[in-house]
Amino acid sequence: MTGPLAGTRVVHLASLGPGPYAAMLLADLGADVVVVDRTAAMTTSVPADRDPRRRGQRSIRLDLTRPDSRAVLDELLTGADVLIEGMRPGAAERLGLGPERLLELNPGLVYARMTGWGQDGPLAARAGHDINYIGLTGALHAMGDADRPPPVPLNLLGDYAGGGTFLVIGVLAALLERRSSGRGQVVDGAIVDGAGSLTAATLGMLATDRWHARGTNVLDGGVPWYRTYRTADGGYVAVGAIEPKFYVELLTRLDLDPAGYPRDEPATADRLAQILTARFASADRAHWESVFADSDACVTPVLTFAEATEHPHQRERAGYLDLAGVRQPAPAPRLSRTPAPVPAAPPGLGAHTDELLRELGRSAAEITALHRDGAVA
């Protein structure tokens, strides 16, 4: 393996949502990630061998309710640097896999726990999903038009930004600290914490009376020069002309005199919004792409996922790759001296069970017995 985390062993107790994403990010950086799949397949939206979040990893299937399977896991963890688990608080302890025992087994282990609400607090034992977690941070309330309920967003802000990405930040920090202390520690990765951290700048604006009711602010569509517009063919463009010079460029490209539309005068906003709505609706999206192609007006097409993977900018930067017939984002960020490896295709459930058992020193007869007894699959 190559990449900055080459030589780092990560064990992921197969989970949903942000846990697999965190495992993917670590694998993309060169870590040797072993996902411990259940002997009974989990219900997921994507088949295991086509799920980009499993790329570059190996899979072993264990029945963690069985002592012999937990013994195999203990062997894996003895030589591991990181464990990722995404169970409700207390569930790992009931399986005998809590941090107190595992840190005694391997004092250098970074035990990364991924939950929605965190390991403590009045909501810790409650179920929830992305929409609930970001709803508790204020972020959801800030989205959408003023006269409608907040929209249902994709689970990018909570699960993946506030969850998986922040868990990886904690893991990397703990690995770095371990270099001086020699000791592992527990990373309490809570989506509500990470998503809350993402609101820092907005809370700063609120505290200084620069953030107001939904739909009246610069970054929530409250001004005509920072929102989306429909085009004649049913497409959309995104307009982000925040700075005054970009605002001037926007109006100039639309054959409007900037002097007639003072940017910061409230009386201008409704009139300009109507004009921009009509203007963008008068031509197809491709036309507006050509109008603003070499411009700093900050006007871009709103692409579908399929279109995004084929955009010239992404093609030039090789921003996407194909694995197992699935187009997916390339590893990010990009490092100059230790670049991320090209990931291997996602493994099927248990694709590396025997391989990993052999690495642990199990004989052929022992492996056969584990299969026969149902400890592995």
Side-chain angles (χ1 to χ4, degrees):
M1 294 291 290
T2 59
L5 293 185
T8 302
R9 165 66 65 85
V10 177
V11 175
H12 171 215
L13 303 184
S15 58
L16 299 174
Y21 182 64
M24 183 198 84
L25 293 178
L26 293 169
D28 282 351
L29 292 171
D32 174 16
V33 179
V34 175
V35 55
V36 178
D37 286 309
R38 302 177 186 179
T39 52
M42 298 174 66
T43 301
T44 63
S45 56
V46 182
D49 60 356
R50 292 175 61 81
D51 187 342
R53 295 169 301 174
R54 293 170 60 90
R55 68 191 187 191
Q57 301 168 45
R58 295 189 289 171
S59 168
I60 183 171
R61 294 183 78 178
L62 299 175
D63 180 354
L64 295 181
T65 66
R66 297 173 53 101
D68 46 2
S69 293
R70 292 197 299 274
V72 172
L73 180 60
D74 279 357
E75 291 181 59
L76 282 171
L77 292 174
T78 298
D81 299 288
V82 180
L83 170 68
I84 298 173
E85 68 95 352
M87 307 177 200
R88 288 204 203 187
E93 284 81 353
R94 289 191 292 274
L95 285 170
L97 299 174
E100 183 175 351
R101 188 182 76 82
L102 294 186
L103 285 170
E104 183 176 331
L105 176 73
N106 178 355
L109 184 67
V110 174
Y111 191 114
R113 316 196 80 165
M114 185 74 260
T115 61
W117 303 115
Q119 294 299 312
D120 52 26
L123 296 177
R126 290 264 300 274
H129 288 292
D130 185 285
I131 194 171
N132 307 118
Y133 309 133
I134 67 172
L136 211 70
T137 67
L140 183 58
H141 187 274
M143 299 178 187
D145 297 329
D147 59 347
R148 300 179 183 180
V152 178
L154 295 179
N155 63 333
L156 303 178
L157 177 59
D159 280 351
Y160 299 118
T165 303
F166 269 80
L167 188 71
V168 169
I169 292 172
V171 165
L172 296 178
L175 288 173
L176 183 61
E177 189 279 338
R178 193 183 66 175
R179 294 172 62 182
S180 58
S181 70
R183 298 171 59 194
Q185 59 183 300
V186 176
V187 178
D188 180 358
I191 295 173
V192 70
D193 292 346
S197 176
L198 295 169
T199 70
T202 309
L203 289 179
M205 296 171 68
L206 179 66
T208 54
D209 198 32
R210 290 175 171 82
W211 187 268
H212 307 290
R214 181 171 69 245
T216 65
N217 304 281
V218 171
L219 296 178
D220 65 2
V223 294
W225 29 271
Y226 197 87
R227 63 174 62 165
T228 58
Y229 292 92
R230 184 186 293 271
T231 57
D233 55 348
Y236 301 91
V237 294
V239 176
I242 294 179
E243 291 81 0
K245 63 180 180 180
F246 301 154
Y247 175 77
V248 169
E249 177 72 5
L250 167 69
L251 297 190
T252 300
R253 291 280 175 146
L254 291 172
D255 296 324
L256 299 172
D257 181 4
Y261 303 92
R263 176 179 173 275
D264 297 318
E265 288 188 9
T268 298
D270 288 343
R271 182 166 58 101
L272 182 58
Q274 293 176 13
I275 292 172
L276 294 184
T277 298
R279 187 64 58 90
F280 283 115
S282 69
D284 290 350
R285 193 186 74 183
H287 169 77
W288 298 116
E289 287 186 68
S290 65
V291 168
F292 292 100
D294 60 349
S295 164
D296 275 345
C298 303
V299 177
T300 54
V302 176
L303 302 179
T304 66
F305 285 127
E307 290 173 329
T309 67
E310 297 295 338
H311 190 273
H313 183 80
Q314 296 288 6
R315 289 204 304 269
E316 175 72 20
R317 287 179 54 79
Y320 290 85
L321 50 81
D322 291 289
L323 292 175
V326 177
R327 179 66 57 89
Q328 54 197 268
R334 307 177 187 205
L335 282 73
S336 63
R337 189 170 53 80
T338 55
V342 176
L349 298 173
H352 303 91
T353 295
D354 290 1
E355 173 184 309
L356 287 161
L357 289 172
R358 287 192 295 271
E359 288 181 10
L360 294 174
R362 299 300 180 98
S363 68
E366 289 173 316
I367 294 173
T368 299
L370 287 168
H371 279 286
R372 184 185 62 241
D373 295 341
V376 301

